[in-house]
Amino acid sequence: KVADDLEELQRRALLREVDEEVRNDELKALWKKYRFYVISAAILALLGAFVFEGIKYYKQEVSAQDSIAFTRALNAAVAGDVTSARVDLEAVMKDRATGYAELAALRSVSLLEKEGQSEEAMALLYEIRGTKDFSEPARNVATVAIAQRLMDADKPDYAEVKKLLSPLAAEGSAWKNIAGEMLAALPK
């Protein structure tokens, strides 16, 4: 019986060894067949991660630079140096890569009006409203500002105001209340 058990153990060990060799050969064959794809996938994943991180870093750098320029412009405007403020705001607005571009454009409107350049301010508001480079909220702020200026004009264009504000007064609009009140203030 001991001899039979020993023989059985040896047979099992031999089968295990043969089984391991077969598995190793199968794995080697799979690796040989698919190694190019595995290595390519790994390289692409690494490359994708590097590109993603590079883009993220670039956007953070641009945002930081725009933040500094925007703050410098605000400080210059408070100090009364409108020319320097406008130069910094225009630099921030130029690339329109960050939200600071929208803030800079809207702040430029107030600086233009402060300098008595109402037509230029209105043109900038129409530019903000008309471009997809700016977010919908920024375009809506510009629309409300245009409508307000049209209402306050010497010869108000109420038809244009109604045309501008009607979409903003629609149900579900974040601007429904403001636009609705402005529309209600129009003469009948």
Side-chain angles (χ1 to χ4, degrees):
K1 177 150 177 108
V2 173
D4 289 340
D5 287 344
L6 184 60
E7 189 176 304
E8 180 65 25
L9 286 175
Q10 287 174 341
R11 198 172 52 82
R12 284 185 186 175
L14 181 64
L15 286 175
R16 255 185 270 140
E17 192 175 317
V18 169
D19 194 36
E20 281 181 32
E21 284 296 320
V22 168
R23 279 193 204 131
N24 283 340
D25 289 344
E26 287 174 349
L27 286 175
K28 285 179 185 176
L30 279 173
W31 173 249
K32 191 173 185 179
K33 184 175 181 180
Y34 294 110
R35 70 179 173 218
F36 174 76
Y37 300 110
V38 171
I39 293 170
S40 296
I43 290 171
L44 286 175
L46 284 173
L47 185 62
F50 285 131
V51 168
F52 176 77
E53 288 299 318
I55 289 170
K56 190 168 86 172
Y57 175 78
Y58 172 76
K59 286 182 177 182
Q60 287 173 342
E61 285 298 308
V62 169
S63 185
Q65 291 169 3
D66 285 352
S67 171
I68 292 167
F70 184 73
T71 302
R72 190 174 48 239
L74 293 180
N75 290 336
V78 168
D81 187 0
V82 176
T83 304
S84 292
R86 297 241 346 257
V87 167
D88 283 332
L89 290 173
E90 286 175 16
V92 173
M93 288 184 334
K94 187 180 281 184
D95 64 13
R96 296 183 180 170
T98 66
Y100 286 104
E102 295 175 351
L103 294 173
L106 294 169
R107 184 65 176 125
S108 291
V109 169
S110 67
L111 286 178
L112 287 167
E113 288 181 336
K114 187 176 182 180
E115 292 180 311
Q117 299 177 19
S118 298
E119 289 180 19
E120 290 85 352
M122 194 66 134
L124 182 53
L125 284 170
Y126 273 107
E127 180 184 338
I128 294 167
R129 181 179 182 273
T131 182
K132 296 292 182 189
D133 290 344
F134 290 107
S135 67
E136 185 178 351
R139 292 192 311 266
N140 290 341
V141 167
T143 300
V144 170
I146 291 167
Q148 184 64 52
R149 284 158 180 79
L150 290 173
M151 289 173 70
D152 292 342
D154 291 336
K155 294 180 182 176
D157 186 351
Y158 295 124
E160 179 69 11
V161 171
K162 187 173 182 178
K163 184 176 128 189
L164 287 168
L165 293 178
S166 292
L168 296 179
E171 193 65 39
S173 170
W175 296 89
K176 178 184 174 193
N177 294 335
I178 293 171
E181 287 182 28
M182 290 176 74
L183 287 170
L186 295 177
K188 302 287 181 205

